Amino acid sequence: MEHPYLFMTSLFGIFGMEKWAATHPHVTYMWLAMVVLIFLGWLAGKSITMVPKTAQNVFEVVISGLEEFMVGITGEEGRKSFPLLLTIFLFVLLGNLFGLIPGFYPPTAQINTTVSLAIIAVTWSHVIGIKMHGFKYIKHFLGPVPALMPLFLIIELIGHMARVLSLTLRLFGNMMGHELVVGILLMLAGPFLVPLPIMAMGILVALIQAIVFFLLPTMYIAGAIEEAH
């Protein structure tokens, strides 16, 4: 979807890269999201005190709540994966919210971004499985009946590839759909009032999709950790 104005495209235009930035807005806004998250992480780390203030209290409650939620599903072994999944959660949430800011583009509305995140999350679940079980991790793909192992292997491989597809299309479809709806309403009704309910709903959609992208990889990791039967 074409945007009439993008802040990052204009910024790159200063360096003679406007055409490239206009063609790849998901890349420029992905970089912006990374810079914002790094800055906020540095700021949060610098501002930690023994007596937490309001902002620190909020972040501690959110982060510790997500961590305990994940550990409740995966067990203590899953705690090691929390930094990665928290980073993905924050990136997806921030990227989604970019779509609500005039002049910004949500990098999660581009399938290249979502498939990259999905590959990282699903691949990590297998890395954890191999670290936990070694070569025995192959049992997760072979099923309980020896005679049907080749069939189970094919089915499981298809299922695990479908995980990548599912994560990719769910996030991409929801964010691109929101972008299209807002764009159509802006063209039909102008930039006043009418798109506001859709944009307000977009905050909820952004949060839900970030939670889903956190929850599903958590479940994949829990499955990789447990013993195969």
Side-chain angles (χ1 to χ4, degrees), residues 127-150:
V127 170
I128 292 298
I130 293 171
K131 287 179 68 176
M132 284 289 299
H133 307 290
F135 184 74
K136 291 182 180 179
Y137 182 61
I138 192 67
K139 291 182 179 180
H140 284 74
F141 298 85
L142 299 180
V145 183
L148 296 177
M149 282 182 178

Side-chain angles (χ1 to χ4, degrees), residues 59-110:
F59 280 109
E60 285 183 357
V61 168
V62 172
I63 293 174
S64 63
L66 286 173
E67 184 175 16
E68 292 307 315
F69 172 76
M70 180 177 178
V71 171
I73 295 175
T74 63
E76 282 297 321
E77 286 295 331
R79 200 182 295 274
K80 300 173 184 176
S81 302
F82 179 70
L84 174 64
L85 294 193
L86 177 64
T87 301
I88 292 176
F89 170 81
L90 293 175
F91 175 81
V92 171
L93 179 60
L94 183 60
N96 292 348
L97 292 175
F98 275 0
L100 304 175
I101 305 173
F104 279 56
Y105 178 87
T108 48
Q110 225 284 349

Side-chain angles (χ1 to χ4, degrees), residues 15-67:
F15 306 99
M17 301 176 65
E18 184 172 2
K19 185 176 180 181
W20 178 87
T23 308
H24 304 90
H26 63 290
V27 177
T28 59
Y29 282 92
M30 178 181 67
W31 290 345
L32 179 61
M34 292 164 60
V35 169
V36 170
L37 289 176
I38 291 171
F39 174 74
L40 291 177
W42 171 80
L43 192 64
K46 182 182 178 183
S47 306
I48 291 176
T49 60
M50 292 299 294
V51 181
K53 297 181 180 178
T54 303
Q56 185 177 334
N57 270 324
V58 171
F59 280 109
E60 285 183 357
V61 168
V62 172
I63 293 174
S64 63
L66 286 173
E67 184 175 16

